[in-house]
Amino acid sequence: MIARVTLEIALRKEFDYLIPDGLVGQIDVGSRVQVPFGARKVLGCVTGLAQTSEHSRLKPILKVIGAQTLVTPKVLKLARWIADYYCCPPEIALKSVLPEVVRKEQAGWRERLYVRALPFAGELPKLPKRQQEVWNIVEERRELPLRELLELAQTTAATVRRLEDRGLVAISAEISERDPYAREHIVPTSPLPLNPAQAAALAKIHSALEQSSRNGDARAGTHSSVFLLHGVTGSGKTEVYLQAISRALELGKGAIVLVPEISLTPQTVERFKARFSSGPLRTLVAVLHSHLSAGERHDEWHKIRQGRARIVIGARSAIFAPVDPLGLIIVDEEHEHTYKQEETPRYHARDVAIMRGRMENATVVLGSATPSLESYYNCRKGKYTLLELPDRIDDRKMPYVRVVDMRQCVRGSHGVPIFSPRLKEAITQRLERGEQTILFLNRRGYSSSLQCPLCGFVAECPNCSLSLTYHRPDQKLRCHICGHQEPVPAVCPNEKCRNPAIRYAGLGTQKVEETLGKLFPDARITRMDADTMKRKEDYRRILSDFRAGKIDILVGTQMIAKGLHFPNVTLVGIIYADMALHQPDFRAAERTFQLLTQVAGRAGRGDVEGEVFVQSFTPYHPAIQYARRHDYPGFYEQESEFRRQLNYPPYARVALLTLRGRNEDKVKFSADHVRAALEKVEKELRGKTELIIAGPAAAPLLRAETYYRYQIMLRTPRMSVLSRRLAELTETIALPEDVLLSVDIDPADLG
Ligand code: ADP
Ligand code: ZN
């Protein structure tokens, strides 16, 4: 037998190896193996089996690593698709489907040996110094991983073995799992009686689950089962997810729930754990997100692989969780851009979810209050089934949204105030009534730039084409792209000027917080943004203080925009709604609409009706006006017409080619060279599909982290055809060594 192996070293191809007699029966698709490669031994993954090979003199596989295959053939197939569609080498796609800690685990569980102190009678024998040191640690900790012990004691396993020989400790492979939520007390919940809209949506999902269960794997891919659950904020989407998962479990299948990283609050996780913590459908719920320690991630992954956790909730990469058989995939807040990975492989987890659902015959439910134009368009085309929850639970009203025209608030030489008089008054009222307020501004720091009013000097990042943001607490100027920081100058740095009166322009959350403190000295105000959330517990602590009513006003960036459910919040203020509108991106209006709707959705989730103030300098912009009226279909109609006219998604797919290098001219010339090659591709594709080439043009952020960037934007209705050509092109085109070309299929960020 021959095994096809994808090696971990990047080579963009598979290699054939012999399966030696001793390993027959131990190797399957997905097995991790060690193979000879030249003079080296390298790790790889078996990606196929064959009877014959076109190569002669094959070398044998050296050994198999781990007892269980790590990647299932199904997930392997998904990795293949990612490599093809997103134009990336297969070994990189393969890496992304397995967490690093699982992949690097060279000998299964061996690294996870535990050392435990054993009870002994009488006196401790006299031990040599080294053994005594080791014993002291074990005695204190009672049980700890062997590796940790070796590190702490600076010794080798042999010393520990001696203690084992003396009967003082036991070394075993038993696994004591690290549960990141272990200290929480979980109160079981049972299904809520649904309202008619929820019941109708659930019934359709149930019947799809049952149908694919009847069809079985054999007919995978034969019918599309994608649903789009469009439900306003607070309409009870999560309850529908929970009951859909119950049905999948009853049918003997597992489920994956994707949530944007920012929504992975303990609050969300708790709701899922609580529902499945008891009763006949009892199962572990595994949690996967970027803040887990390597050990935690390892344990969560194996819980899933062993079938003990049949529900997985997690961010983007949880879509690769080895749930088998898989019945249901839920993508909550499907419009979120955090589902797009911004490094190779640049996959979009929602689209991977749909592909995985098709391959494994699993039902896919996309949920959102503000669906992406792409998904809604697919419903209009009949590709997806639209399910709607138009009202909030218990007929709670949608918050009343008032748009404040900030142009009318300009006061002579003082410029624009941060708070319009109406918003100020609304905050005062909430403080008097003991209700809570959320204020949103999508920029951290104090001021967005430092300027000299005399000579016009602006403090810019030395590495990026961006002005530096002033951070008041530690008196630093910071670049929000590369992290560069420098002290605040006392006088204008321009040698000829040296003006002592430099001015700070623009607004950040720190300034909002400070101004609030002056206006409302008695209010308890807390700020929540990347600067105040340094440690893992910060987020949880602030949210629980807010829930407990220890905070009156919460100021924050997009961190507070989504998913939070606080019944006592009756006022939401959006300080500067235009910020997202002015991005150089065809999705700017869509993002603004989504952001306003999501932020507004935080208000009025309890018994008291909510109110939202949107401060804007362009109050009549459609994105703002449709959001004010909670009119998604209206927004969709007008925005999709704009996209249709300009041939943007959802009417075409986009690929963004970026060239970067430190020498701007070289980058420009290279970009022209790539354009010429693309024109050839365009000619070849004529008759097969359309290809529109735009650029090269300087990227909106021309210089980032010392690199100049030029872009070419491609648009085509058939991306899979183009992808293949792009993969060839990027491999063969000759570019200067210091100019890098990257391809982003379906980019979320055009920056
Ligand atoms: P969404 O995810 O659509 O924003 P949630 O699922 O968070 O909404 O629901 C909002 C609130 O309504 C939650 O507190 C939830 O427990 C409650 N809820 C959901 N469905 C029902 C129902 N059928 N009956 C009563 N309460 C419900
Ligand atoms: Zn910078």
Side-chain angles (χ1 to χ4, degrees):
M1 276 288 264
I2 313 285
R4 300 246 138 90
V5 181
T6 298
L7 305 180
E8 270 195 6
I9 43 179
L11 291 165
R12 270 185 189 269
K13 62 184 276 215
E14 293 170 324
F15 293 85
D16 287 358
Y17 285 90
L18 268 182
I19 301 179
D21 288 346
L23 294 180
V24 170
Q26 290 182 46
I27 291 181
D28 203 344
V29 173
S31 295
R32 307 241 321 121
V33 291
Q34 190 187 52
V35 294
F37 189 79
R40 287 197 283 165
K41 292 175 183 173
V42 299
L43 294 176
C45 175
V46 176
T47 41
L49 295 173
Q51 292 299 337
T52 55
S53 168
E54 55 185 72
H55 305 281
S56 53
R57 285 188 301 166
L58 295 183
K59 290 185 184 160
I61 288 175
L62 298 174
K63 64 176 176 189
V64 187
I65 290 158
Q68 205 180 18
T69 56
L70 290 181
V71 212
T72 62
K74 291 171 185 168
V75 171
L76 209 58
K77 203 167 147 201
L78 196 62
R80 277 245 164 84
W81 176 79
I82 288 178
D84 289 344
Y85 183 80
Y86 293 101
C87 279
C88 80
E91 63 274 10
I92 296 205
L94 205 54
K95 272 186 187 169
S96 70
V97 306
L98 260 194
E100 174 151 349
V101 47
V102 175
R103 210 174 55 235
K104 291 267 159 73
E105 188 174 60
Q106 305 229 344
W109 294 94
R110 227 192 45 211
E111 293 181 1
R112 301 249 153 257
L113 287 178
Y114 279 77
V115 182
R116 196 157 37 93
L118 292 177
F120 63 91
E123 260 182 39
L124 186 72
K126 176 114 186 69
L127 298 172
K129 185 162 162 287
R130 284 238 151 246
Q131 291 180 38
Q132 182 69 45
E133 281 167 11
V134 172
W135 169 252
N136 291 345
I137 297 171
V138 181
E139 192 186 24
E140 191 194 317
R141 296 278 298 271
R142 305 314 298 173
E143 184 184 53
L144 76 167
L146 175 64
R147 265 188 36 183
E148 193 181 334
L149 177 63
L150 298 184
E151 261 164 44
L152 284 173
Q154 290 290 312
T155 185
T156 59
T159 321
V160 187
R161 292 277 175 213
R162 269 188 217 117
L163 287 176
E164 191 184 28
D165 294 343
R166 289 176 191 269
L168 290 171
V169 304
I171 304 176
S172 61
E174 76 191 75
I175 295 133
S176 66
E177 273 153 10
R178 289 154 290 248
D179 181 348
Y181 297 94
R183 274 164 301 160
E184 272 160 42
H185 178 62
I186 291 179
V187 185
T189 63
S190 26
L192 299 171
L194 300 181
N195 66 28
Q198 283 175 313
L202 187 68
K204 289 216 172 128
I205 299 172
H206 275 184
S207 77
L209 282 167
E210 284 148 18
Q211 196 189 332
S212 44
S213 185
R214 272 197 302 276
N215 290 346
D217 270 0
R219 297 198 35 209
T222 48
H223 82 283
S224 130
S225 42
V226 178
F227 292 100
L228 174 62
L229 181 63
H230 177 207
V232 298
T233 51
S235 59
K237 292 186 286 296
T238 312
E239 186 61 33
V240 175
Y241 301 154
L242 287 166
Q243 298 195 22
I245 295 174
S246 295
R247 190 77 193 105
L249 293 177
E250 279 165 8
L251 293 167
K253 301 200 170 177
I256 296 177
V257 183
L258 295 185
V259 297
E261 185 83 46
I262 31 180
S263 304
L264 250 178
T265 56
Q267 213 180 341
T268 314
V269 174
E270 245 167 59
R271 282 175 82 177
F272 286 84
K273 289 201 169 176
R275 183 63 55 88
F276 300 100
S277 64
S278 65
L281 298 177
R282 182 165 195 249
T283 176
L284 293 176
V285 175
V287 184
L288 294 172
H289 60 82
S290 64
H291 295 300
L292 295 182
S293 69
E296 284 168 349
R297 192 184 311 273
H298 170 276
D299 295 353
E300 294 299 289
W301 196 90
H302 280 284
K303 260 187 229 168
I304 305 164
R305 183 75 179 97
Q306 294 160 354
R308 289 183 300 138
R310 304 182 55 210
I311 303 172
V312 179
I313 171 163
R316 188 168 64 217
S317 65
I319 191 53
F320 304 116
V323 178
D324 196 18
L326 178 64
L328 178 66
I329 308 175
I330 289 161
V331 185
D332 192 28
E333 313 282 3
E334 63 89 25
H335 63 278
E336 274 291 335
H337 293 289
T338 45
Y339 284 126
K340 173 80 176 171
Q341 167 138 309
E342 293 297 353
E343 62 212 50
T344 17
R346 295 166 180 269
Y347 67 87
H348 196 301
R350 177 197 58 216
D351 299 339
V352 176
I354 289 166
M355 190 45 71
R356 184 165 178 189
R358 196 181 295 168
M359 287 176 176
E360 300 188 31
N361 204 12
T363 302
V364 179
V365 179
L366 312 177
S368 176
T370 51
S372 62
L373 254 69
E374 286 85 345
S375 296
Y376 206 74
Y377 173 82
N378 281 330
C379 289
R380 289 282 170 93
K381 289 251 134 184
K383 272 177 83 181
Y384 300 174
T385 306
L386 183 65
L387 306 172
E388 290 187 291
L389 305 180
D391 303 307
R392 283 188 159 181
I393 289 297
D394 294 338
D395 292 322
R396 253 169 220 147
K397 292 217 186 78
M398 291 302 284
Y400 196 88
V401 181
R402 301 170 198 281
V403 180
V404 183
D405 187 347
M406 290 306 275
R407 293 170 303 186
Q408 302 192 354
C409 296
V410 182
R411 287 169 313 174
S413 60
H414 288 291
V416 197
I418 298 176
F419 302 100
S420 59
R422 293 168 70 193
L423 177 55
K424 223 185 306 181
E425 193 188 308
I427 299 174
T428 311
Q429 268 178 13
R430 296 315 183 289
L431 290 171
E432 282 166 1
R433 298 208 295 245
E435 293 165 10
Q436 290 171 304
T437 298
I438 286 181
L439 295 176
F440 174 83
L441 178 73
N442 211 3
R443 190 192 284 133
R444 62 197 174 89
Y446 190 84
S447 310
S448 54
S449 68
L450 178 146
Q451 241 175 345
C452 171
L454 282 186
C455 74
F457 168 89
V458 175
E460 281 191 358
C461 176
N463 309 321
C464 311
S465 43
L466 193 74
S467 59
L468 295 171
T469 302
Y470 169 46
H471 284 247
R472 187 143 184 166
D474 54 357
Q475 291 291 317
K476 286 264 163 53
L477 295 176
R478 289 213 171 85
C479 172
H480 285 185
I481 294 289
C482 72
H484 166 87
Q485 59 176 38
E486 53 186 68
V488 176
V491 297
C492 174
N494 180 348
E495 304 254 322
K496 301 199 186 95
C497 177
R498 295 288 178 202
N499 172 19
I502 4 186
R503 188 192 291 157
Y504 297 100
L507 185 61
T509 44
Q510 289 172 3
K511 191 164 177 180
V512 173
E513 184 191 21
E514 184 192 275
T515 312
L516 266 179
K518 286 184 191 151
L519 288 174
F520 306 103
D522 298 329
R524 293 162 302 171
I525 303 161
T526 299
R527 172 164 57 90
M528 195 156 159
D529 56 28
D531 297 318
T532 60
M533 298 293 104
K534 294 276 187 242
R535 285 171 307 136
K536 204 165 145 182
E537 314 82 64
D538 292 337
Y539 189 70
R540 204 185 285 211
R541 194 197 60 230
I542 294 187
L543 292 184
S544 84
D545 283 358
F546 195 50
R547 177 178 316 279
K550 293 184 198 161
I551 297 168
D552 300 312
I553 306 175
L554 188 63
V555 180
T557 53
Q558 74 247 41
M559 253 180 217
I560 61 169
K562 326 206 161 139
L564 304 180
H565 180 74
F566 295 107
N568 199 32
V569 173
T570 59
L571 174 66
V572 166
I574 295 161
I575 305 291
Y576 184 30
D578 310 58
M579 198 120 86
L581 266 185
H582 300 321
Q583 303 293 325
D585 190 319
F586 67 88
R587 289 198 180 90
E590 184 182 3
R591 281 195 198 161
T592 303
F593 178 86
Q594 287 165 348
L595 198 62
L596 294 187
T597 309
Q598 295 288 344
V599 181
R602 299 312 110 215
R605 294 173 74 99
D607 296 330
V608 186
E609 210 177 307
E611 200 177 21
V612 179
F613 284 81
V614 178
Q615 303 192 140
S616 167
F617 289 89
T618 48
Y620 297 105
H621 191 285
I624 294 178
Q625 285 299 326
Y626 283 115
R628 180 175 81 79
R629 284 184 253 137
H630 309 289
D631 182 3
Y632 179 84
F635 175 75
Y636 173 84
E637 291 305 335
Q638 104 108 37
E639 181 66 14
S640 73
E641 179 53 23
F642 154 77
R643 303 277 183 91
R644 195 182 60 74
Q645 282 175 11
L646 297 180
N647 230 314
Y648 276 126
Y651 296 92
R653 286 188 174 254
V654 170
L656 190 68
L657 274 56
T658 303
L659 290 115
R660 43 184 221 124
R662 294 214 163 92
N663 179 323
E664 188 175 0
D665 283 336
K666 263 200 205 173
V667 176
K668 258 200 236 169
F669 289 136
S670 309
D672 289 336
H673 182 50
V674 172
R675 156 117 206 173
L678 285 167
E679 279 167 10
K680 277 193 207 134
V681 173
E682 193 269 336
K683 278 207 193 82
E684 286 164 25
L685 290 182
R686 259 182 227 168
K688 286 191 197 120
T689 186
E690 192 190 7
L691 177 63
I692 303 172
I693 310 173
L701 185 69
L702 169 61
R703 195 158 170 255
E705 300 175 69
T706 74
Y707 287 92
Y708 290 93
R709 293 128 29 95
Y710 277 76
Q711 298 178 330
I712 301 174
M713 190 197 261
L714 304 177
R715 277 169 287 170
T716 178
R718 291 183 60 197
M719 185 52 79
S720 48
V721 176
L722 179 64
S723 284
R724 216 168 305 140
R725 298 306 174 98
L726 287 177
E728 284 162 22
L729 186 140
T730 49
E731 260 182 62
T732 52
I733 198 161
L735 295 174
E737 254 177 33
D738 51 354
V739 175
L740 301 171
L741 169 64
S742 65
V743 178
D744 190 353
I745 307 285
D746 302 334
D749 181 2
L750 303 184

